[in-house]
Amino acid sequence: MEQWSIQGEEIANCNCNFGCPCQFGVLPSDGTCEAAVFFRIDKGHYGDIQLGGLLAAGVYKWPGPIHEGAGEMQLIIDDKASAEQRAALQAIMTGQDTVEMATMWFIFSAMCPTKHDTIVSPISVEINAEDRIGKGSVAGVVEVSAEPIPNIMSGAPHRVGIRLPNGFEFGFAEMAKGSTKTSGGAIDLLKNSGTHAHFASLHLTGEGRVGA
């Protein structure tokens, strides 16, 4: 198994209520799951191939809860990546060279029998986890934006986080309010407006998440 490591930040949006029931082992808010996630890789490698400075994204859709499968996915990889870097990210994000169930990428891939062709395109990502503000964009394909959850009475920014000591994606994430627009990709997400979003720092390897 090729050794790999990814450290960086992510911004994600799905169609569930704030907080995302999946994080609590509960069924999704309307019984289905639609999500888009953007990744900024600050440091990483796949064997001898360096991955620091690259961007990537994924669009996912399931007709029911993720664990019931039957989903579809489409990856997007930074056009700045070399052919070798693209192949490395493709392998990591489809669960290759990964212990079974060790990362969200393994699980998402295993639960998506339909894998659309990976898109290679310019990607932009802006993340301010402290203020819960960010966005990710692939022109003509998908755009995610996030902002603080508003207080139900005053509208002031409401701050809440989720800690998952045994999480396969993150150990801690800042919760936010997000939206996703899809356009020219293979998957249309139709339910993601004013729904759950989160910001998280990642440190993942083929053996799973590193850190508390």
Side-chain angles (χ1 to χ4, degrees):
M1 186 171 77
E2 191 70 79
Q3 297 298 304
W4 62 267
S5 174
I6 293 285
Q7 295 181 56
E9 303 289 323
E10 73 171 2
I11 176 174
N13 171 236
C14 74
N15 60 299
C16 279
N17 294 336
F18 300 149
C20 182
C22 294
Q23 310 303 333
F24 298 87
V26 178
L27 294 177
S29 298
D30 75 351
T32 69
C33 183
E34 300 186 3
V37 191
F38 280 79
F39 305 98
R40 188 191 75 209
I41 301 169
D42 298 326
K43 182 180 179 181
H45 70 90
Y46 179 83
D48 294 330
I49 301 169
Q50 296 302 305
L51 302 174
L54 298 178
L55 303 171
V59 180
Y60 305 89
K61 189 171 185 175
W62 289 272
I66 294 173
H67 67 269
E68 292 184 358
E72 55 181 319
M73 62 180 280
Q74 185 166 40
L75 301 179
I76 307 156
I77 293 177
D78 198 341
D79 70 339
K80 296 182 179 66
S82 67
E84 292 78 11
Q85 289 172 320
R86 292 173 195 168
L89 286 175
Q90 175 93 13
I92 290 170
M93 295 177 70
T94 54
Q96 299 177 46
D97 295 304
T98 301
V99 173
E100 185 174 357
M101 305 295 286
T103 70
M104 76 288 194
W105 286 317
F106 181 100
I107 293 168
F108 292 170
S109 181
M111 294 297 103
C112 287
T114 300
K115 294 178 176 63
H116 300 284
D117 290 343
T118 296
I119 296 171
V120 177
S121 178
I123 302 174
S124 67
V125 177
E126 298 177 20
I127 293 176
N128 182 340
E130 180 69 18
D131 292 334
R132 287 91 69 212
I133 295 173
K135 61 183 178 180
S137 177
V138 180
V141 180
V142 60
E143 180 177 328
V144 169
S145 61
E147 61 188 47
I149 297 170
N151 181 283
I152 195 170
M153 295 295 291
S154 68
H158 177 63
R159 188 168 191 173
V160 61
I162 292 178
R163 188 170 299 281
L164 292 174
N166 299 314
F168 50 68
E169 180 176 1
F170 57 79
F172 175 80
E174 294 276 3
M175 301 295 104
K177 170 186 175 181
S179 296
T180 297
K181 296 179 181 179
T182 52
S183 47
I187 302 173
D188 290 326
L189 303 188
L190 306 175
K191 305 177 181 180
N192 299 30
S193 179
T195 53
H196 167 80
H198 69 249
F199 297 87
S201 295
L202 304 179
H203 188 179
L204 302 169
T205 74
E207 287 73 45
R209 187 174 61 82
V210 178

